[in-house]
Amino acid sequence: MALGTVSCFFDGYRKNGKEGENALKLVRENISNSIKSSSLGKYSKYCDVPEDEINNWLDSLLGKDRLNVEQKNEIRCQLCQCLKRIDEKSCIALWKYWLRPVTNPISALLIVDAQNDFMSGSLALKHCPAGEDGEEVVAVIEDLLSKNLFKVVGYTFDWHPPDHCSFIDNVSLYPLHSTSPVSSAQAKLFDVVVYDKLPLINQILWPRHCVIDSWGAELHKGIKPPGKDDITVKKGSNPRIDSYSAFWDNADCVQTSLFVDLLKHGVTDVYLCGLAFDVCVKHSAIDALEQGFKTHVIVDGCRGVSPDGIAETMKEFLKNGIVLIESNKVEDALRNKKEQGHKVA
């Protein structure tokens, strides 16, 4: 039973109602019978399967050397969890969380905060310590969109109320904690303060930016706006907490809709670009990785705030296995991933 057969079966199951249920039952029985007829059957009451035996079983099902060691180990781990009872839910879980991502990867482009204020407005990156021009990402992003490389496209927006705690002119609106490095009277642009609220987190003070429904919060006019099938996430609307990541607020307490939206589209891989590299792109990429997506950052499609922040972000990405890629390599990377999936199937 090749992985391609499994792929077609599950696709049919989702579409064909009762016929799909019957097919599911048949495949489940085939898997169970295969296990029972092999030496794996004797382990059905336990949660550990010897590596050599799972390898022999997979070779008998798929043909020798169709899977690499890492893939075999992943299947072994999954089977060890559900070997007692190979039921419908177990089959679907094996398909959804391992087989389909390998045989049919779906990539999403996530355009992070490509808004006017970060390009030429109140928080234009060219006026920040690194002196980078945020508008330089527009051509890169538009080129990626024009090629229709991605099945799924998402746009994120900073979307702040006028009394947001990240604005330096609002620092006196909220009491500071005793551990705050500076007082509200001493605070300057880009200083860090700690507000007197739980959880205690550092808050960078920014110029007023991306206020709800303002020109500064709009997508740059040089970038194709979201279509009806695209994902849109607006973040940072709670006046008392910032939200750098497209997935969570800075306290990791409130989740946006992005994770669920990506799951609904079957996304396995995320490619990020936008602003700013060492702030919102950074936090979104790390959260994407932690949520289980294979994560890539298109480096020439990003610009950053500070030299130190950019350097530290690069190190953190490489340390955590986030792939750094140039925009002119994206098309080949997507094609290679698709071809590898077909080879496995």
Side-chain angles (χ1 to χ4, degrees), residues 21 46 101 187 189 230 279 293 306 322:
E21 291 180 15
Y46 307 99
L189 201 60
D230 294 328
V279 186
F293 300 106
S306 74
I322 292 173

Side-chain angles (χ1 to χ4, degrees), residues 179-330:
T179 60
S180 181
V182 297
S183 68
S184 57
Q186 298 169 325
K188 303 185 300 296
L189 201 60
F190 305 126
D191 275 349
V192 173
V193 296
V194 178
Y195 288 110
D196 191 14
K197 59 181 176 59
L198 295 176
L200 297 177
I201 55 176
N202 291 340
Q203 174 63 58
I204 299 174
L205 297 175
W206 306 100
R208 181 174 291 266
H209 65 280
C210 298
V211 175
I212 294 172
D213 291 329
S214 68
W215 170 86
E218 293 175 2
L219 184 72
H220 189 280
K221 65 181 180 180
I223 298 174
K224 177 184 175 183
K228 62 181 180 65
D229 296 324
D230 294 328
I231 297 169
T232 299
V233 173
K234 294 179 177 178
K235 58 189 178 65
S237 298
N238 182 341
R240 296 185 64 86
I241 188 72
D242 215 345
S243 185
Y244 295 158
S245 170
F247 291 91
W248 291 90
D249 67 16
N250 285 8
D252 289 334
C253 291
V254 178
Q255 191 174 25
T256 71
S257 64
L258 182 57
F259 177 61
V260 173
D261 289 339
L262 293 174
L263 287 186
K264 286 179 180 178
H265 286 82
V267 170
T268 57
D269 297 60
V270 173
Y271 288 73
L272 298 99
C273 57
L275 308 172
F277 177 78
D278 47 338
V279 186
C280 293
V281 173
K282 169 188 174 181
H283 288 269
S284 298
I286 291 171
D287 279 352
L289 186 70
E290 290 180 350
Q291 299 278 17
F293 300 106
K294 295 177 182 176
T295 304
H296 312 69
V297 173
I298 304 169
V299 290
D300 58 323
C302 302
R303 294 295 183 272
V305 171
S306 74
D308 289 345
I310 293 168
E312 288 300 318
T313 298
M314 285 280 196
K315 291 179 182 177
E316 191 164 356
F317 284 169
L318 293 172
K319 176 183 176 182
N320 287 283
I322 292 173
V323 178
L324 300 175
I325 187 171
E326 297 286 337
S327 60
N328 61 2
K329 303 293 185 183
V330 169

Side-chain angles (χ1 to χ4, degrees), residues 140-215:
V140 176
I141 294 172
E142 188 58 23
D143 181 61
L144 289 167
L145 290 173
S146 69
K147 293 177 179 177
N148 294 316
L149 300 175
F150 295 90
K151 293 183 178 180
V152 180
V153 177
Y155 297 74
T156 78
F157 295 84
D158 253 10
W159 203 247
H160 297 315
D163 57 345
H164 197 258
C165 65
S166 71
F167 300 163
I168 189 168
D169 50 317
N170 287 339
V171 68
S172 61
L173 295 182
Y174 306 102
L176 298 181
H177 192 262
S178 59
T179 60
S180 181
V182 297
S183 68
S184 57
Q186 298 169 325
K188 303 185 300 296
L189 201 60
F190 305 126
D191 275 349
V192 173
V193 296
V194 178
Y195 288 110
D196 191 14
K197 59 181 176 59
L198 295 176
L200 297 177
I201 55 176
N202 291 340
Q203 174 63 58
I204 299 174
L205 297 175
W206 306 100
R208 181 174 291 266
H209 65 280
C210 298
V211 175
I212 294 172
D213 291 329
S214 68
W215 170 86

Side-chain angles (χ1 to χ4, degrees), residues 85-130:
R85 184 182 178 193
I86 303 292
D87 57 10
E88 180 176 329
K89 289 184 178 180
S90 299
C91 284
I92 291 175
L94 282 168
W95 163 245
K96 183 176 181 181
Y97 296 111
W98 190 83
L99 294 174
R100 193 195 62 75
V102 172
T103 61
N104 184 29
I106 295 176
S107 298
L109 176 66
L110 190 61
I111 302 167
V112 178
D113 299 0
Q115 295 162 270
N116 288 327
D117 268 344
F118 298 124
M119 309 272 193
S120 58
S122 60
L123 189 40
L125 295 189
K126 58 188 173 185
H127 301 313
C128 292

